[in-house]
């Protein structure tokens, strides 16, 4: 009885090899090997891409920070000197005090704002625009690193 059973166990796999089920199993093994290989290759490629992108975002952040600092320094240097306006106003006050309060002083020449040449206005506009774009690039890099 045991001998009959062992023959039956050996016959079942040999008979199934000719059936479509065995062919299907072999094709699934090939497909699973394909997808396992694809997964391995694509994971390696994705990891390499993410490392390069992360490094690039770090470089962009560093450049944007340095550029913003230098640009801010130039913007501060282009600002009008408030000491000039203060000196002019003090000079007029001293003249009014020296001439007495009864004399009519012409203060129409004093203006609240100093006229600037158009080239200065354009330079400041470009400096502020480049600072804005630099901050925007840094913001985009931070979003990219956090994503």
């Amino acid at each position: 009885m045991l001998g009959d059973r062992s023959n039956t166990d050996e016959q079942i796999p040999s008979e199934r090899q000719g059936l479509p089920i065995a062919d299907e199993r072999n094709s699934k093994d090939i497909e699973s090997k394909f997808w396992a290989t694809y997964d391995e290759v694509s994971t390696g490629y994705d990891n390499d891409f993410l490392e390069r992108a992360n490094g690039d975002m770090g470089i962009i952040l560093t450049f944007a920070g340095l550029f913003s600092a230098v640009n801010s320094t130039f913007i501060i240097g282009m600002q009008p000197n408030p000491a000039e306006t203060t000196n002019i106003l003090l000079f007029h006050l001293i003249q009014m005090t020296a001439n007495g309060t009864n004399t009519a002083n012409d203060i129409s020449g004093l203006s609240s704002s100093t006229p600037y040449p158009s080239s200065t206005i354009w330079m400041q506009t470009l400096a502020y625009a480049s600072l804005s774009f630099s901050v925007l690039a840094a913001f985009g890099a931070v979003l990219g690193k956090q994503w």
Side-chain angles (χ1 to χ4, degrees):
M1 185 134 190
L2 287 173
D4 293 333
R5 184 169 186 160
S6 65
N7 288 338
T8 308
D9 289 340
E10 291 173 8
Q11 288 175 355
I12 291 174
S14 63
E15 290 175 3
R16 282 197 162 180
Q17 287 178 356
L19 296 176
I21 296 172
D23 291 337
E24 187 177 309
R25 186 181 312 141
N26 288 339
S27 68
K28 284 187 179 180
D29 289 341
I30 292 171
E31 285 181 21
S32 65
K33 286 179 185 177
F34 170 78
W35 289 115
T37 305
Y38 173 79
D39 186 42
E40 181 181 326
V41 170
S42 65
T43 301
Y45 177 79
D46 290 344
N47 289 339
D48 183 47
F49 175 77
L50 289 175
E51 285 177 16
R52 282 186 283 127
N54 192 19
D56 290 347
M57 293 301 158
I59 291 169
I60 289 172
L61 275 173
T62 303
F63 176 75
L66 291 173
F67 183 76
S68 295
V70 170
N71 198 8
S72 297
T73 304
F74 283 124
I75 288 173
I76 290 170
M78 286 190 287
Q79 296 299 318
N81 188 1
E84 293 175 8
T85 306
T86 304
N87 289 339
I88 292 171
L89 290 173
L90 282 174
F91 178 73
H92 284 290
L93 282 174
I94 291 171
Q95 278 185 340
M96 286 174 36
T97 305
N99 293 338
T101 57
N102 294 335
T103 59
N105 292 310
D106 184 24
I107 58 171
S108 63
L110 296 176
S111 65
S112 61
S113 66
T114 308
Y116 298 108
S118 63
S119 63
T120 303
I121 293 172
W122 272 106
M123 289 300 291
Q124 285 186 347
T125 302
L126 290 175
Y128 279 109
S130 66
L131 180 63
S132 300
F133 286 126
S134 177
V135 170
L136 185 65
F139 178 69
V142 167
L143 288 179
K145 281 183 82 74
Q146 290 180 353
W147 180 42

